[in-house]
Amino acid sequence: MTPRRVCFPLLGSYYVAEKVVGSLVGDEVILPPPITKRTLEIGAKHSPEAVCVPFKYMLGNFIEAVELGANVLVQMGGGCRLGCYGEVHRAILRRLGYDCEYIQVINDHGILSLIRFIKARYPQLSYLHICTVLYLAYEKARAIDIIEDYLRKNVGFVTRTDALERLHQRFLADLDRAATTKEVHQVKQDYEADFYRLDVQKPDKPLRVGFVGEFYVVMEPFSNFFIEKQLARYGVELHRPLTIAGTVQHYTFYNRHIRHLLRQASPYLTHAIGAHGTESVAQAVHFVQQGFDGLIHVKPFGCMPEINAMPALHRVSEDYHFPILYFSFDSLTSETGIKTRLEAFYDMLMMRKVHHV
């Protein structure tokens, strides 16, 4: 019998947690190569022209992984058109002659729907085993969220960023090797101590910027031209509330989460607007209330939930004189243009801060 070689689309550092989930459905997990321009070129070449850019990146990931021997392709989605991508990806890959099993998990109800999906598809797996493996993946994702949240807030103020980058890579490697939740907690604890020992020279009142928008473009750094690293070079403390572990929690308790977001987004929203659009508005209001200096909102070109969020974000910006920088990405977006606009945004925030002081 041919071994089942599973792959997932890449999503930042979360491949460490994805590999754990992949072990449930395959004999081996094959990671796609790190995303490059080739990934996007391959995906865009075989995609419908008007489809959003995450579709193209994911398709490019799948094709590159199949070239490495993957034969089971797994995609998780829901909340917007992402829930329909699976059938289109499957049709494109079949047309290209790739004989692969394609598994799409519509994850509209968080971890509970994922458990039920895996049990229905693989009845030989016990609920205990499924829950144990998924909890390990969740804890790895949560460890990544905690460490990388610290990095986003402090990397711009570390005297030796190269040392921090190497420490981050060692953290991911050790976390990848952790086989139990106890080992995961130990890795997280050890590296938290290591990161806190770094020489951080942060001013009393640094520029604080929020980072919100569509799930994929926020979390996959290549797709947004590494906005987080660009802002770190300017000495900005970046806050990104959207995380994998948080998303799992929110979708597991979806109705309660939406009620909370709508209370936070009031009076700018009265109904949920799909995917993470509601969250973008609620977090913008939160950042205003916390005295942040500005906000960056990112989305793929044509992303309806985030397009729906933009009129509310404009009102928040006008009412509070709160700077918001909007980016819309597609397969032809210029990296130079992104960097130029980021630099201008930073200069404007600095002038406002100096003026207010």
Side-chain angles (χ1 to χ4, degrees):
M1 181 179 293
T2 303
R4 293 168 57 84
R5 301 185 180 94
V6 181
C7 89
F8 290 79
L10 294 178
L11 190 66
S13 302
Y14 293 114
Y15 65 87
V16 175
E18 289 177 325
K19 289 173 67 176
V20 179
V21 180
S23 67
L24 276 173
V25 299
D27 304 306
E28 179 185 355
V29 177
I30 292 183
L31 290 177
I35 295 177
T36 63
K37 290 183 179 179
R38 178 181 184 267
T39 308
L40 181 56
E41 288 170 357
I42 293 172
K45 177 181 178 181
H46 298 293
S47 298
E49 182 179 356
V51 76
C52 66
V53 75
F55 179 103
K56 298 171 184 178
Y57 276 111
M58 292 178 187
L59 182 61
N61 277 162
F62 284 142
I63 292 174
E64 290 184 318
V66 171
E67 291 173 349
L68 295 177
N71 55 22
V72 180
L73 313 180
V74 181
Q75 180 197 322
M76 298 180 66
C80 67
R81 289 179 295 179
L82 182 61
C84 305
Y85 283 179
E87 290 303 317
V88 186
H89 276 153
R90 188 200 312 266
I92 292 172
L93 292 166
R94 284 179 176 171
R95 187 190 69 207
L96 294 174
Y98 295 119
D99 183 19
C100 302
E101 180 183 353
Y102 195 98
I103 302 173
Q104 183 174 23
V105 183
I106 304 299
N107 198 27
D108 284 336
H109 300 287
I111 197 70
L112 299 178
S113 65
L114 182 57
I115 292 171
R116 289 194 292 266
F117 176 88
I118 294 173
K119 181 62 177 177
R121 193 176 184 96
Y122 305 97
Q124 72 275 16
L125 300 178
S126 70
Y127 276 113
L128 177 61
H129 179 64
I130 294 171
C131 292
T132 300
V133 173
L134 292 182
Y135 184 62
L136 176 61
Y138 171 81
E139 286 298 305
K140 288 192 176 188
R142 197 165 72 92
I144 293 168
D145 291 340
I146 291 170
I147 294 296
E148 294 192 348
D149 179 66
Y150 178 82
L151 295 183
R152 282 187 288 272
K153 293 174 181 176
N154 294 282
V155 65
F157 312 98
V158 174
T159 53
R160 290 189 57 196
T161 56
D162 58 336
L164 186 144
E165 288 287 345
R166 289 195 296 271
L167 185 60
H168 181 224
Q169 291 304 313
R170 290 202 299 273
F171 159 71
L172 292 175
D174 287 346
L175 186 67
D176 190 21
R177 287 189 288 267
T180 65
T181 54
K182 182 177 180 181
E183 292 178 8
V184 169
H185 296 160
Q186 188 62 54
V187 169
K188 179 178 73 69
Q189 181 178 329
D190 292 344
Y191 277 91
E192 278 184 307
D194 290 340
F195 280 111
Y196 292 155
R197 280 194 290 268
L198 292 173
D199 182 20
V200 178
Q201 298 179 1
K202 184 187 293 189
D204 292 336
K205 294 183 178 180
L207 279 179
R208 294 190 301 161
V209 174
F211 188 33
V212 302
E214 187 272 336
F215 184 87
Y216 184 93
V217 176
V218 166
M219 292 195 189
E220 174 43 57
F222 190 94
S223 72
N224 62 46
F225 297 107
F226 300 93
I227 281 178
E228 294 180 7
K229 288 187 177 181
Q230 295 295 331
L231 290 173
R233 294 191 181 102
Y234 296 136
V236 172
E237 181 181 300
L238 189 66
H239 291 241
R240 194 195 82 189
L242 192 57
T243 65
I244 285 287
T247 299
V248 169
Q249 293 176 13
H250 297 161
Y251 273 91
T252 301
F253 304 99
Y254 180 76
N255 291 332
R256 186 174 70 184
H257 176 57
I258 289 297
R259 288 194 297 269
H260 168 73
L261 291 178
L262 290 175
R263 285 194 298 270
Q264 193 172 26
S266 176
Y268 301 98
L269 288 181
T270 56
H271 297 85
I273 56 177
H276 289 89
T278 311
E279 192 163 349
S280 293
V281 178
Q283 291 296 341
V285 175
H286 170 74
F287 288 134
V288 168
Q289 294 171 344
Q290 295 298 311
F292 274 59
D293 297 286
L295 178 75
I296 293 175
H297 175 261
V298 299
K299 68 175 180 64
F301 179 78
C303 175
M304 291 307 299
E306 298 301 331
I307 290 174
N308 290 337
M310 289 177 69
L313 291 173
H314 286 312
R315 289 177 55 203
V316 172
S317 179
E318 291 173 357
D319 289 351
Y320 293 96
H321 304 288
F322 183 62
I324 301 179
L325 179 61
Y326 301 93
F327 286 117
S328 184
F329 294 91
D330 62 21
S331 56
L332 300 177
T333 300
S334 163
E335 182 176 6
T336 302
I338 299 298
K339 290 181 177 180
T340 301
R341 293 183 61 202
L342 275 176
E343 184 177 2
F345 186 63
Y346 166 75
D347 289 341
M348 183 265 291
L349 294 183
M350 283 299 297
M351 286 189 291
R352 281 170 54 93
K353 198 172 188 68
V354 171
H355 177 72
H356 287 160
V357 171

